[in-house]
Amino acid sequence: MTEAVPLPSRSRWKFAAALVVVLLTAAVFGWRWWSGVEVNAESIERRDFVKTVVASGRVQTPHRVDVAAQITGAVLRVPVAEGQMVQADDVLIELDASEQRALLRQAEVAVVQAEARQRQLVEVLLPMAEQSVRQGQASLVNLQSMLRRQQELAAKGFIGDAALDEARKGVEMADAQWRSAQMQRDTLRPGGSDRALVVAAVAQARAAADVARARIGYTVIRAPVAGTLIGRNVEAGDVVQAGKLLMTLSPAGRTQLVAQIDEKNLRLLSTGQKALASADAYPAQRFEAVLAYINPGVNAQTGAVEVKLDVPAPPSVLAQDMTVSIDIEVARRAMALVVPVSALVDMQSPDAQTGSVLRIEQGVAVHRPVRLGLRSAGWAEVLDGLQEGDRVVPVAVMVSPGQRVHARTAAAPAGAAPSAPSASSR
């Protein structure tokens, strides 16, 4: 019968140590298998969600006023400088008016002559014509009486037919002269042709004088409205032509921003939407604007739509044609459920309304479809498929569905609130 021989004390200790190492290694690998891949999980949370459309534009007043000369003349002085603020009716340019003043004096003399002819007609010619009518009528009456006496004498045989015919001719001639005097008098009365010609001559002379006065007024070019002089193309001594552009005035008043928006964002825009803007030269000074106009047409060459935004309280730094950056708020959701776009998979397009995520369920990455709403600055609104507090695996981790994972919630980056622009039409 064989007896067991006990192992030496040192051998037992070596065996025990090896066994402990094996058990510890198995425990570590077993824990790693059980806990899965360690990932920085993204949490599903609720927050105020704003979607904006970004655009670059320019500052523009509703219109510009081009200042031009209405007559040809030499420039005497230009009392304003480019960039200067002017008030309505301020003198901008003064032209030499010596020739225009001479023409006015000539026109005023013509008015005096025309009015004198009118007074002559009323005070002299018309009374003379009326006197001629009365004289002609008296002569006619006298000759008619003589004709009747001649007829009586001829009936008694005292005169012959020749004398009677002579009397008749005298009456006919007197009647013609009387009628001619009446017609002459009627042309001098109100409504008559001679009176109308004289009145028209007076009106024409006065109109010519008014034109001459107006042309004198054209020699002083004034600001039609208050505003800023943003262009000046004239100097003292220049000879300017009628219609030539001399200055450009930017009127004071309502300020607008004009921008071009990519047509793909047209469905998101509507008048009345609020916006925040800043001049590129002063990016820290943001100001409010309101979308006031959307052009109904699309530029066929650029695929852009022109929009205009009113600025209720423009900052003092704004100047005509400044470049501005505009964020138009097109949608807002209060306390919306949001998911990072970096966790979405199976996206057919950037604007797709459906997608999927790998949600961590009891330590396992599970493929779950989701229905999406608004999207902005790396975040998407979740309409269905996830709940607040769920954790999802970012796409960049390369985890497969069904794989065990160990979630470690990632720290939210500074400024990651989903209120940044979602689309750019720069």
Side-chain angles (χ1 to χ4, degrees):
M1 184 174 181
T2 305
E3 294 182 0
V5 180
L7 294 173
S9 176
R10 179 174 295 181
S11 298
R12 287 198 302 269
W13 281 108
K14 288 182 177 180
F15 176 77
L19 181 61
V20 170
V21 171
V22 171
L23 291 176
L24 288 175
T25 302
V28 170
F29 280 101
W31 170 253
R32 288 184 178 178
W33 175 85
W34 177 255
S35 62
V37 179
E38 188 177 45
V39 298
N40 290 328
E42 301 279 7
S43 293
I44 306 303
E45 57 187 64
R46 290 188 180 275
R47 60 176 70 181
D48 290 339
F49 189 86
V50 178
K51 182 180 179 65
T52 59
V53 172
V54 176
S56 283
R58 290 194 175 275
V59 178
Q60 179 179 311
T61 53
H63 63 279
R64 298 184 186 186
V65 177
D66 290 333
V67 179
Q70 293 180 271
I71 60 173
T72 299
V75 178
L76 286 183
R77 66 188 187 101
V78 184
V80 292
E82 191 170 357
Q84 180 177 334
M85 285 288 299
V86 297
Q87 299 301 318
D89 211 38
D90 282 356
V91 176
L92 302 180
I93 303 168
E94 186 176 347
L95 304 179
D96 183 8
S98 56
E99 180 181 353
Q100 308 305 326
R101 284 193 289 267
L103 291 174
L104 175 59
R105 288 193 296 271
Q106 184 178 359
E108 288 173 342
V109 170
V111 171
V112 172
Q113 291 176 340
E115 290 175 343
R117 285 193 292 270
Q118 184 178 27
R119 288 196 304 272
Q120 183 184 30
L121 182 147
V122 174
E123 297 171 3
V124 179
L125 298 181
L126 180 58
M128 290 178 60
E130 290 176 343
Q131 181 64 28
S132 296
V133 170
R134 288 192 293 270
Q135 290 177 350
Q137 185 178 16
S139 177
L140 176 61
V141 170
N142 183 47
L143 290 175
Q144 287 174 339
S145 297
M146 291 180 60
L147 176 60
R148 286 193 295 270
R149 288 195 297 270
Q150 294 288 354
Q151 288 174 338
E152 291 175 358
L153 293 174
K156 295 177 181 180
F158 292 133
I159 61 174
D161 292 338
L164 187 59
D165 291 340
E166 188 69 22
R168 288 195 185 99
K169 290 179 180 178
V171 170
E172 291 175 356
M173 183 175 295
D175 182 67
Q177 291 176 347
W178 175 62
R179 292 182 185 279
S180 176
Q182 285 180 318
M183 293 176 63
Q184 182 65 32
R185 178 202 59 189
D186 290 343
T187 61
L188 300 176
R189 284 180 171 178
S193 58
D194 286 348
R195 174 68 72 88
L197 289 173
V198 170
V199 171
V202 172
Q204 184 177 11
R206 289 173 178 171
D210 291 340
V211 170
R213 292 189 191 95
R215 291 179 69 86
I216 287 182
Y218 295 158
T219 62
V220 178
I221 302 174
R222 300 179 181 273
V225 294
T228 304
L229 194 65
I230 61 174
R232 168 179 159 171
N233 305 313
V234 62
E235 297 294 339
D238 291 349
V239 176
V240 298
Q241 302 294 324
K244 179 184 177 182
L245 177 63
L246 304 178
M247 292 182 176
T248 301
L249 189 66
S250 176
R254 185 178 62 166
T255 298
Q256 285 190 322
L257 309 179
V258 180
Q260 303 295 323
I261 303 293
D262 194 301
E263 62 179 315
K264 69 181 180 182
N265 296 314
L266 183 58
R267 59 184 175 83
L268 303 174
L269 301 177
S270 61
T271 56
Q273 290 174 334
K274 297 180 179 180
L276 285 177
S278 62
D280 288 2
Y282 305 93
Q285 300 187 35
R286 306 201 76 186
F287 54 90
E288 295 182 350
V290 179
L291 185 59
Y293 170 78
I294 303 173
N295 195 307
V298 178
N299 190 310
Q301 296 180 342
T302 63
V305 179
E306 183 181 80
V307 300
K308 296 182 179 180
L309 298 95
D310 288 336
V311 182
S316 59
V317 297
L318 283 190
Q320 178 73 29
D321 293 327
M322 260 189 175
T323 302
V324 291
S325 298
I326 308 167
D327 296 344
I328 304 173
E329 182 181 313
V330 297
R332 176 182 288 270
R333 299 285 191 272
M335 299 305 293
L337 193 66
V338 295
V339 61
V341 174
S342 61
L344 295 173
V345 297
D346 301 334
M347 296 292 293
Q348 300 298 322
S349 70
D351 295 326
Q353 298 302 305
T354 59
S356 62
V357 297
L358 289 177
R359 185 172 66 178
I360 300 175
E361 300 178 9
Q362 298 179 352
V364 178
V366 180
H367 183 271
R368 295 295 183 189
V370 292
R371 188 162 60 91
L372 305 173
L374 298 179
R375 211 156 312 173
S376 178
W379 296 83
E381 180 188 17
V382 178
L383 301 179
D384 189 28
L386 292 173
Q387 295 181 351
E388 186 178 4
D390 286 348
R391 289 180 295 178
V392 294
V393 180
V395 176
V397 177
M398 303 298 293
V399 171
S400 301
Q403 186 175 348
R404 299 194 66 83
V405 294
H406 174 61
R408 183 176 68 220
T409 302
S419 59
S422 65
S424 175
S425 59
R426 295 179 186 271

XYZ file of all heavy atoms in Angstrom, residues 14 43 46 82 88 99 105 120 164-165 225 228 247-248 250 265 282 311 347 368 375 381 385 403 406 425:
215
model
N 3.820 28.447 -3.526
C 3.877 28.789 -4.958
C 2.575 28.424 -5.665
O 2.057 29.164 -6.501
C 5.045 28.070 -5.621
C 6.411 28.626 -5.228
C 7.505 27.892 -5.979
C 8.886 28.476 -5.664
N 9.966 27.782 -6.385
N -26.654 62.197 -22.576
C -27.930 62.123 -21.870
C -29.021 62.846 -22.661
O -28.787 63.915 -23.238
C -27.805 62.749 -20.480
O -26.962 61.994 -19.664
N -34.207 67.842 -21.334
C -35.138 68.861 -21.786
C -34.513 70.245 -21.600
O -33.874 70.506 -20.583
C -36.459 68.784 -21.017
C -37.290 67.572 -21.354
C -38.662 67.638 -20.726
N -39.428 66.466 -21.078
C -40.136 66.334 -22.200
N -40.161 67.335 -23.072
N -40.821 65.233 -22.452
N -18.716 115.294 -47.572
C -19.164 113.910 -47.554
C -19.119 113.364 -46.131
O -18.176 113.593 -45.387
C -18.284 113.063 -48.471
C -18.813 111.667 -48.723
C -18.038 110.952 -49.813
O -17.138 111.580 -50.397
O -18.338 109.781 -50.069
N -33.314 118.848 -43.598
C -34.125 119.164 -44.772
C -34.046 120.653 -45.073
O -34.107 121.487 -44.165
C -35.572 118.743 -44.537
N -27.187 134.699 -65.175
C -27.950 134.554 -66.418
C -29.431 134.349 -66.121
O -30.291 134.923 -66.816
C -27.406 133.371 -67.216
C -28.136 133.156 -68.531
C -27.602 131.958 -69.316
O -26.576 131.376 -68.887
O -28.208 131.610 -70.349
N -35.659 139.211 -65.399
C -35.987 140.607 -65.664
C -36.630 140.760 -67.035
O -37.593 141.534 -67.206
C -34.712 141.463 -65.573
C -34.203 141.635 -64.138
C -33.149 142.744 -64.065
N -31.959 142.403 -64.840
C -30.918 141.742 -64.360
N -30.919 141.334 -63.093
N -29.861 141.492 -65.109
N -55.047 148.666 -72.308
C -55.373 149.483 -73.486
C -56.641 148.983 -74.152
O -57.487 149.798 -74.577
C -54.206 149.447 -74.468
C -54.432 150.339 -75.695
C -53.294 150.209 -76.691
O -52.668 149.151 -76.782
N -53.013 151.283 -77.423
N -84.318 157.881 -105.498
C -84.812 156.881 -104.542
C -83.797 155.738 -104.372
O -83.541 155.281 -103.245
C -86.160 156.337 -105.015
C -86.873 155.404 -104.036
C -87.147 156.072 -102.704
C -88.178 154.891 -104.667
N -83.214 155.286 -105.474
C -82.196 154.228 -105.395
C -80.971 154.692 -104.614
O -80.362 153.916 -103.855
C -81.774 153.803 -106.799
C -82.893 153.051 -107.531
O -83.804 152.547 -106.822
O -82.830 152.955 -108.761
N -34.554 115.970 -47.841
C -34.878 115.356 -46.552
C -33.637 115.421 -45.665
O -32.532 115.665 -46.144
C -35.327 113.884 -46.704
C -36.637 113.783 -47.460
C -34.238 113.063 -47.395
N -27.725 111.727 -44.132
C -26.265 111.769 -44.184
C -25.802 111.794 -45.632
O -26.289 111.015 -46.453
C -25.659 110.547 -43.468
O -26.144 110.500 -42.134
C -24.143 110.617 -43.454
N -24.694 114.403 -55.867
C -24.561 113.925 -54.500
C -25.541 112.785 -54.259
O -26.545 112.649 -54.974
C -24.850 115.047 -53.486
C -23.807 116.157 -53.460
S -24.212 117.398 -52.213
C -22.783 118.478 -52.344
N -25.239 111.979 -53.229
C -26.148 110.920 -52.799
C -26.396 111.090 -51.308
O -25.459 111.215 -50.523
C -25.559 109.526 -53.067
O -25.303 109.399 -54.471
C -26.530 108.438 -52.650
N -28.322 109.683 -47.834
C -28.966 108.570 -47.133
C -29.921 109.163 -46.109
O -29.498 109.731 -45.109
C -27.914 107.697 -46.432
O -28.539 106.678 -45.679
N -34.200 77.511 -47.224
C -34.717 77.966 -45.934
C -35.987 78.793 -46.073
O -36.507 79.287 -45.064
C -33.655 78.792 -45.207
C -32.431 77.981 -44.856
O -32.545 76.870 -44.355
N -31.255 78.524 -45.127
N -18.363 95.515 -35.300
C -18.627 95.589 -33.857
C -19.389 94.336 -33.435
O -20.577 94.403 -33.092
C -19.431 96.844 -33.513
C -18.797 98.129 -33.991
C -19.129 98.675 -35.235
C -17.864 98.793 -33.210
C -18.549 99.847 -35.680
C -17.279 99.978 -33.640
C -17.622 100.493 -34.874
O -17.047 101.656 -35.309
N -35.019 97.525 -38.161
C -34.253 97.655 -36.918
C -34.931 98.743 -36.088
O -34.770 99.932 -36.373
C -32.787 98.018 -37.196
C -32.007 98.105 -35.898
C -32.152 97.001 -38.138
N -29.272 58.303 -40.745
C -29.866 59.554 -41.208
C -29.799 59.597 -42.729
O -28.727 59.516 -43.326
C -29.111 60.739 -40.619
C -29.217 60.830 -39.093
S -30.879 61.241 -38.557
C -31.004 62.891 -39.187
N -32.623 51.769 -31.358
C -33.970 52.281 -31.201
C -34.253 53.364 -32.254
O -33.493 54.314 -32.408
C -34.157 52.908 -29.812
C -34.040 51.931 -28.648
C -35.144 50.902 -28.687
N -35.074 49.997 -27.539
C -35.810 48.906 -27.415
N -36.669 48.598 -28.388
N -35.693 48.133 -26.359
N -34.078 70.949 -35.743
C -32.661 70.653 -35.603
C -31.883 71.960 -35.590
O -32.177 72.880 -36.337
C -32.200 69.815 -36.794
C -31.089 68.867 -36.453
C -31.100 67.730 -37.416
N -32.444 67.202 -37.559
C -32.778 66.286 -38.448
N -31.875 65.825 -39.272
N -34.014 65.835 -38.514
N -34.573 67.877 -31.964
C -35.730 67.689 -31.101
C -36.266 66.266 -31.268
O -36.448 65.791 -32.391
C -36.806 68.712 -31.458
C -38.062 68.609 -30.620
C -39.163 69.514 -31.133
O -39.082 69.978 -32.291
O -40.123 69.747 -30.368
N -39.718 58.122 -29.270
C -38.685 57.099 -29.276
C -37.719 57.169 -28.123
O -37.024 56.190 -27.831
N -24.015 44.986 -28.056
C -22.742 44.964 -27.337
C -22.920 45.588 -25.962
O -23.638 46.573 -25.794
C -21.676 45.714 -28.127
C -20.289 45.631 -27.533
C -19.256 46.291 -28.437
O -19.556 46.599 -29.598
N -18.055 46.501 -27.923
N -20.313 50.232 -20.832
C -20.308 50.849 -19.510
C -20.389 52.355 -19.720
O -19.479 52.965 -20.281
C -19.030 50.465 -18.747
C -18.900 51.181 -17.439
N -19.814 51.054 -16.420
C -17.945 52.056 -16.974
C -19.445 51.795 -15.392
N -18.303 52.418 -15.722
N -26.849 80.913 -44.654
C -27.039 81.326 -46.048
C -26.040 82.405 -46.419
O -26.301 83.261 -47.227
C -28.472 81.851 -46.229
O -28.704 82.934 -45.373
